[in-house]
Amino acid sequence: YSTGRSTTDLAVDMDTSHSLKTEPEKGTSFKESFKMDSLWRENTVHMCVYLSERLGPWWDLPSYRKKWTRQILNDVSIHVDSGQILGILGNSGSGKTTLLDAISGRIGNSGTLLGEVFINGRKLKREEYQDCFSYVLQSDNLLSYLTVEETLTYTAQLSLRKHSDDAIKKKVSAAMAELSLSHVAHSVIGGRIFPGISGGEKRRVSIACQLLQDPKVILLDEPTTGLDSMTANQIVVLLAELARRDRIVIVTIHQPRSELFRVFTRIAIMSRGELVFCGQPEEMVNFFSQCGYECPEYCNPFDIYVDFTSVDTRNSEREAATFNRMHEIASSYQTSDIYTRMLAKIDQSLQQPVKPPIPFKSKESPGVAAKIEVLLRRTVRNLSRDRMGVLMRLSQNLIYGLFLAFFVMRLDLDVSKGAIQDRIGIIYQSIGASPYTGMLNAVALFPALRAIGDQESQDGLYSKWQMFMAYVFHILPFSILSVCIFTSFLYWTIGMNPDTLRFFCYTAVVLVPHIVGELLTVVLLGVVQDPNMVNTGVALLNIAGILVGSGFLRSTQQMPQVFQWLSYLTFQKYSCELLIVTEFYGLSFSCNASKPLPGACVVTEGNQLIDQGYPGALSRYTLDFVLLYAFLPALLVLGILSFKIRDRINRH
């Protein structure tokens, strides 16, 4: 990179310059024009964002069909030099976060991004945004049971391939030292259930994760939100130090302390999507004074100037008056020498004959297999430290087995005492209940991992489907052990067919519905955001599969043809056939003639039940096993497609 100054329209100046230009297209109801030119010397941004929304909720069809367009950002231009920190102020709804989302390429489906981005005078493709900008969101999405050092180490392993273990350790130690985290290196992050490090330290961990990729432009969306004033002040001072180390830092901030007035090298004020001012702190005081808005003595200039530029919506008269005042200040800024000098710097940066290369973040990312391996180790280490979670995961099937054993007590061979009915009931419960325990595991554990995966995939660390694969590999040993505990207890306690080979077949069959329940839930969580909807959907699918495929409610031969075809798409069909054959084949029953019941002694051999209820099941035994286990790779493929779709939706 060449040293020098850089300009940015809505910009950051780090040893790169960004210039953003955006002109809304005529005739489009929903558009977002975003052009950003960046020189290592100068950064500029110029943009407009339009959002098209429906007038009413989905249940009000007449208004739902109508749309209206509102402007989120209106002709925002900012310039920042390298080594500087830009603070963006404004009240809620002023467009601060939208601005950072647009720069980082995270508008997604909420907006249409039109225009071009140039860094160092070179055109930047939209898919390259994440390779240039590091974005720290408002919320800290961190794994609760990992320590600070482990969190940073796994992030480094996901982003750095050519570094040895010692080099990664040194890089992590340097990042912790730079952000004053060394004293909590071995402390767990913590969460809502158990305490960990403080909120300010969590925020610094989030920033450190981004620094490991050596970004030259860092965007932070309200990094002081939820922190006390002293901790917030320390965070901003720390960010200013990072900017002075050859970086550009753009920060949106809420209610900064007056002591931070001279910490920011540039300050931007936004209101109603318009840039009201952008310049140095000293220029801000002089500018507002010339506009007739003096800052009273002993008052925080940040608060005063944000109040002057905010729109009061409590009533129409106040809204009109304050909007006109804000618009007058914005117009004065656009005709000021401050704005003119910024435009001159932008033009100068774009006309540089020699343009330095684009300052991408570290692109030494490891291969797919290595990423999945790192994600697997991280997931296992995080979840295995949740002792109560591990205990419940392993024992939930056993607890259910205790209920079954309590009600059944001991299976009998006397038909008149329910020998056949009890066995069919056990098979029904074994197949019908195990998907629910898998579903509960996924609903409890996966949404938090999904949120972290969404953020880290947008940071370019890995693809979402790789995180899905790591989660699947992690659940396999837990699922196998949990099902083995359940079947070992239930099978021998209630006295099912006392054959070791049949026990292993029973265990192998029950394992699949349990894994399918969790896999199906995770697959749906890839495309459906609400876990409650997924919970309900998986439950209904499981019930439908039992009704159509098991043959317990109605014999398969008596079903309409369409339901017979649909039964082949359910794992319950194959698992029920397998368990019926496993339990009843070769089994002989007795019948107490002293208490005859109508039809009670019609079936006295297990083979009779198989032939009458599941004709041909004996000859299909091996095929049923193959088809049952084929559901697992099929769901893996669906899961990969689901998370690829999620990746595409989030990016576009």
Side-chain angles (χ1 to χ4, degrees):
Y1 307 110
S2 64
T3 58
R5 316 281 303 166
S6 93
T7 64
T8 313
D9 259 358
L10 169 63
V12 191
D13 201 3
M14 106 180 163
D15 279 340
T16 44
S17 78
H18 312 265
S19 128
L20 250 176
K21 290 188 180 177
T22 243
E23 294 182 8
E25 284 186 14
K26 297 180 180 179
T28 47
S29 61
F30 177 51
K31 51 187 178 298
E32 211 173 281
S33 207
F34 174 40
K35 179 174 182 179
M36 177 173 166
D37 273 316
S38 178
L39 296 175
W40 182 239
R41 303 199 225 165
E42 299 170 338
N43 262 323
T44 64
V45 177
H46 182 82
M47 70 171 57
C48 298
V49 177
Y50 293 81
L51 181 63
S52 179
E53 296 178 328
R54 298 188 183 275
L55 287 177
W58 62 269
W59 59 82
D60 187 359
L61 291 180
S63 60
Y64 182 73
R65 291 170 180 165
K66 299 177 183 178
K67 292 184 178 181
W68 71 293
T69 301
R70 63 189 180 98
Q71 193 167 15
I72 308 296
L73 295 179
N74 179 25
D75 196 22
V76 177
S77 300
I78 298 176
H79 158 74
V80 184
D81 287 329
S82 114
Q84 292 184 338
I85 176 172
L86 168 68
I88 304 176
L89 310 180
N91 60 347
S92 298
S94 60
K96 305 187 299 296
T97 299
T98 302
L99 184 58
L100 294 190
D101 288 343
I103 295 176
S104 61
R106 301 194 185 193
I107 291 293
N109 287 336
S110 62
T112 301
L113 194 59
L114 304 177
E116 296 175 334
V117 177
F118 292 86
I119 296 184
N120 289 344
R122 302 175 186 273
K123 184 176 179 180
L124 185 67
K125 298 178 182 178
R126 189 177 179 187
E127 56 267 22
E128 295 175 331
Y129 288 4
Q130 67 180 19
D131 296 328
C132 293
F133 308 110
S134 285
Y135 192 6
V136 180
L137 303 178
Q138 289 188 32
S139 58
D140 298 310
N141 287 322
L142 303 169
L143 294 174
S144 302
Y145 290 94
L146 296 182
T147 65
V148 171
E149 186 176 37
E150 288 170 346
T151 299
L152 298 178
T153 299
Y154 285 125
T155 301
Q157 291 174 349
L158 287 168
S159 57
L160 306 173
R161 176 180 58 187
K162 298 180 180 179
H163 290 60
S164 63
D165 291 340
D166 290 338
I168 287 178
K169 188 174 182 180
K170 290 179 181 179
K171 194 172 185 67
V172 169
S173 299
M176 289 191 295
E178 191 172 17
L179 288 156
S180 303
L181 290 169
S182 300
H183 65 290
V184 293
H186 302 293
S187 301
V188 294
I189 299 295
R192 291 175 297 178
I193 301 176
F194 63 97
I197 59 178
S198 67
E201 289 165 344
K202 287 181 182 178
R203 190 57 46 89
R204 279 182 274 159
V205 172
S206 298
I207 298 171
C209 289
Q210 299 295 334
L211 291 182
L212 290 172
Q213 299 183 68
D214 297 322
K216 293 302 181 181
V217 181
I218 305 175
L219 313 175
L220 300 102
D221 187 17
E222 298 191 11
T224 60
T225 298
L227 305 178
D228 61 87
S229 58
M230 179 174 291
T231 305
N233 183 68
Q234 293 171 350
I235 291 290
V236 175
V237 171
L238 180 63
L239 293 174
E241 288 291 330
L242 295 179
R244 282 193 282 270
R245 295 169 189 164
D246 197 26
R247 297 186 182 100
I248 293 177
V249 177
I250 302 179
V251 183
T252 63
I253 192 165
H254 233 14
Q255 295 181 323
R257 291 172 56 174
S258 57
E259 289 88 342
L260 299 177
F261 186 77
R262 298 193 180 277
V263 174
F264 292 109
T265 45
R266 292 185 70 80
I267 296 173
I269 300 178
M270 296 186 64
S271 181
R272 286 290 184 92
E274 294 192 34
L275 187 66
V276 182
F277 173 82
C278 181
Q280 298 175 2
E282 298 80 5
E283 293 175 331
M284 180 175 67
V285 175
N286 295 332
F287 169 76
F288 278 93
S289 297
Q290 292 172 2
C291 292
Y293 301 102
E294 297 279 351
C295 179
E297 194 174 4
Y298 307 119
C299 289
N300 186 346
F302 292 131
D303 291 338
I304 296 299
Y305 296 145
V306 169
D307 287 345
F308 284 148
T309 57
S310 297
V311 178
D312 188 349
T313 58
R314 287 178 294 180
N315 57 65
S316 56
E317 292 79 7
R318 287 291 302 160
E319 182 174 4
T322 53
F323 180 81
N324 289 333
R325 182 178 65 188
M326 180 273 292
H327 190 67
E328 288 175 1
I329 297 174
S331 299
S332 298
Y333 167 67
Q334 292 180 357
T335 58
S336 66
D337 293 338
I338 302 172
Y339 186 71
T340 303
R341 288 195 299 270
M342 183 191 69
L343 294 181
K345 283 190 175 183
I346 295 174
D347 292 337
Q348 182 182 2
S349 68
L350 296 178
Q351 294 173 5
Q352 291 289 335
V354 179
K355 296 179 175 62
I358 296 174
F360 289 111
K361 295 187 293 186
S362 175
K363 301 180 71 174
E364 301 173 349
S365 179
V368 172
K371 286 184 179 181
I372 294 177
E373 185 262 337
V374 173
L375 290 170
L376 175 60
R377 285 192 289 111
R378 186 178 74 169
T379 303
V380 170
R381 176 163 294 190
N382 177 67
L383 296 179
S384 63
R385 288 177 178 170
D386 182 6
R387 288 178 292 182
M388 185 57 67
V390 171
L391 180 62
M392 290 304 299
R393 191 180 182 92
L394 294 178
S395 63
Q396 57 186 354
N397 283 321
L398 175 61
I399 294 172
Y400 183 70
L402 288 171
F403 282 106
L404 289 180
F406 175 77
F407 284 107
V408 175
M409 298 303 291
R410 191 75 182 174
L411 293 174
D412 204 296
L413 288 175
D414 192 338
V415 175
S416 63
K417 294 181 180 179
I420 295 177
Q421 181 181 350
D422 290 349
R423 282 172 169 79
I424 291 178
I426 290 295
I427 292 173
Y428 173 81
Q429 294 297 331
S430 299
I431 298 303
S434 55
Y436 287 105
T437 55
M439 175 191 70
L440 293 175
N441 290 332
V443 170
L445 299 176
F446 192 72
L449 296 175
R450 182 184 63 179
I452 294 173
D454 287 344
Q455 178 176 328
E456 292 182 335
S457 64
Q458 288 187 319
D459 292 335
L461 292 181
Y462 53 83
S463 298
K464 293 182 178 65
W465 70 268
Q466 294 166 355
M467 178 266 302
F468 162 74
M469 291 297 297
Y471 181 83
V472 171
F473 291 144
H474 138 265
I475 69 173
L476 290 178
F478 286 102
S479 299
I480 293 172
L481 187 57
S482 175
V483 170
C484 286
I485 293 173
F486 165 74
T487 57
S488 298
F489 169 79
L490 183 66
Y491 194 92
W492 302 110
T493 301
I494 64 177
M496 298 181 74
N497 203 320
D499 183 82
T500 304
L501 180 59
R502 296 191 189 217
F503 162 72
F504 284 118
C505 290
Y506 173 79
T507 302
V509 173
V510 175
L511 176 63
V512 175
H514 179 75
I515 297 178
V516 166
E518 188 159 3
L519 275 181
L520 181 59
T521 305
V522 175
V523 169
L524 293 178
L525 283 171
V527 291
V528 180
Q529 189 66 22
D530 188 358
N532 293 324
M533 291 182 61
V534 174
N535 194 348
T536 303
V538 173
L540 292 175
L541 286 174
N542 188 48
I543 292 172
I546 286 286
L547 295 178
V548 174
S550 67
F552 293 151
L553 181 67
R554 188 178 184 185
S555 174
T556 306
Q557 289 75 31
Q558 303 301 319
M559 289 182 184
Q561 192 70 35
V562 62
F563 288 110
Q564 293 184 31
W565 293 337
L566 288 175
S567 68
Y568 290 99
L569 300 178
T570 67
F571 65 87
Q572 288 91 344
K573 172 182 174 61
Y574 309 107
S575 55
C576 286
E577 280 191 4
L578 287 168
L579 291 189
I580 289 289
V581 172
T582 301
E583 178 61 23
F584 285 96
Y585 180 68
L587 195 63
S588 298
F589 299 101
S590 61
C591 186
N592 188 355
S594 62
K595 297 180 181 179
L597 293 174
C601 300
V602 172
V603 177
T604 58
E605 296 291 333
N607 290 6
Q608 289 180 263
L609 178 70
I610 297 172
D611 294 337
Q612 293 176 14
Y614 302 89
L618 281 173
S619 61
R620 295 195 300 267
Y621 194 79
T622 303
L623 178 61
D624 281 349
F625 251 115
V626 173
L627 293 176
L628 178 62
Y629 271 83
F631 278 85
L632 300 183
L635 283 174
L636 276 181
V637 173
L638 285 177
I640 292 173
L641 293 176
S642 171
F643 282 89
K644 282 182 176 291
I645 292 172
R646 183 180 183 86
D647 227 346
R648 190 173 185 85
I649 290 174
N650 287 357
R651 289 184 181 181
H652 303 290

